[in-house]
Amino acid sequence: MVDKCKDSGADLVMCQWGFDDEANHLLLQKDMPAVRWVGGVELELLAIATGARIIPRFEELSPEKLGVAGSITEIEFGTTSDRMLKVEDCPTSKTVTIFVRGGNKMIVDEAKRSIHDAICVVRNLIRDNRIVYGGGSAEISCSLALKEEAEKIEGLEQYGVRAFADALESVPMALASNGGLDAIPTVSEVRRAQIAEKNPHLGVDVLRVGTLDMKEQHVFETLKGKQQQFLLATQVVKMILKIDDVIEPNEVDYQ
């Protein structure tokens, strides 16, 4: 069996079900390092990446069914001797593996969440490459546009539009507060600057760069993500407004 592996042209053997020390010794004598235990899912991913075929019987082994990889290295992490194999330069794979490690589970989960958010931003840009500038500039400019439009609306609907415009400014207010700034004066200054300069790119300077122009600071968000934020927030408010009464436990007569 070892000779069949060698004659096929293989220089590395990976097995799902494992083999004994004697087989490992014979493989090493033939200059073929081996991995005894490889999970089924990992083996399938390796086969896809390297262009190999999973061989259930030695009789089916042939050079056409072998895979190709540029390098396979074993790397070790930390003081706990955690080891893993790194397979690189696979001809048929376009995937990238992100390996996350941390001092505890909370740090790892936070890193995974941050990476997932970043990947979602890239995904949104691929689907729709339009952007809006951040720092609360989009919310403030939308709020100003809605207040101006509210002047053209008659009746009680005008108050609803104004309330929506005021609600939009809660985003830059929270941003300024989280950045350690005085929220009300900061947002008021940005609003005044947008009106005076007619520049919708002005936002909250959380980083204290010295300019309110988010375009100069390269702070932006995807348009699709911003649309989803507004849509979900509006749906939540509509759902709450549909509730016309709340039954409290003390008010229910169980007799």
Side-chain angles (χ1 to χ4, degrees):
M1 291 187 289
V2 174
D3 289 337
K4 286 183 178 180
C5 293
K6 187 66 176 179
D7 294 340
S8 69
D11 51 16
L12 177 71
V13 177
M14 292 195 178
C15 182
Q16 180 178 356
W17 302 110
F19 46 81
D20 57 17
D21 293 336
E22 182 182 0
N24 193 33
H25 174 71
L26 293 173
L27 286 167
L28 286 175
Q29 281 188 332
K30 297 289 186 178
D31 296 325
M32 285 190 298
V35 183
R36 298 192 190 193
W37 301 98
V38 181
V41 176
E42 288 78 10
L43 196 65
E44 290 179 3
L45 292 175
L46 278 170
I48 294 172
T50 60
R53 294 283 300 274
I54 299 175
I55 307 300
R57 287 177 291 274
F58 285 94
E59 290 76 13
E60 300 179 15
L61 189 58
S62 64
E64 295 78 18
K65 296 180 180 179
L66 299 181
V68 179
S71 66
I72 300 177
T73 55
E74 184 182 58
I75 52 179
E76 188 172 321
F77 301 95
T79 58
T80 57
S81 299
D82 293 332
R83 297 178 181 180
M84 65 180 296
L85 286 178
K86 181 171 63 172
V87 183
E88 297 180 298
D89 300 328
C90 299
T92 60
S93 174
K94 297 181 180 180
T95 60
V96 176
T97 300
I98 301 176
F99 187 60
V100 180
R101 299 183 80 242
N104 53 53
K105 189 176 183 299
M106 183 182 70
I107 294 176
V108 173
D109 289 342
E110 182 65 20
K112 288 168 63 178
R113 185 194 64 80
S114 300
I115 293 171
H116 180 267
D117 290 346
I119 293 174
C120 288
V121 171
V122 176
R123 177 203 62 191
N124 288 340
L125 280 173
I126 292 173
R127 291 179 176 176
D128 187 347
N129 60 5
R130 292 178 294 175
I131 62 170
V132 295
Y133 289 96
S137 59
E139 287 81 358
I140 293 175
S141 61
C142 287
S143 175
L144 292 174
L146 283 173
K147 288 178 180 178
E148 183 178 344
E149 189 66 24
E151 299 295 336
K152 306 174 185 178
I153 301 176
E154 298 180 358
L156 294 176
E157 291 184 1
Q158 179 181 136
Y159 293 94
V161 176
R162 287 183 180 275
F164 194 96
D166 293 337
L168 287 174
E169 293 191 357
S170 62
V171 175
M173 292 277 282
L175 185 62
S177 180
N178 291 339
L181 302 172
D182 197 348
I184 296 177
T186 301
V187 175
S188 299
E189 173 61 23
V190 175
R191 188 192 308 114
R192 183 202 63 77
Q194 280 203 14
I195 296 174
E197 301 179 23
K198 298 186 183 301
N199 185 358
H201 303 157
L202 302 182
V204 179
D205 183 18
V206 178
L207 301 177
R208 275 87 163 178
V209 176
T211 176
L212 299 177
D213 196 331
M214 297 295 107
K215 188 174 183 179
E216 293 182 11
Q217 293 195 30
H218 304 292
V219 178
F220 59 88
E221 300 178 60
T222 61
L223 175 62
K224 193 170 188 65
K226 185 63 66 178
Q227 289 174 335
Q228 284 296 112
Q229 293 171 20
F230 289 169
L231 180 62
L232 290 175
T234 305
Q235 287 177 344
V236 170
V237 173
K238 289 171 64 177
M239 182 177 64
I240 294 174
L241 291 176
K242 289 179 180 179
I243 302 174
D244 57 358
D245 194 9
V246 177
I247 301 176
E248 297 184 4
N250 295 335
E251 296 179 357
V252 179
D253 187 5
Y254 293 100
Q255 295 181 354

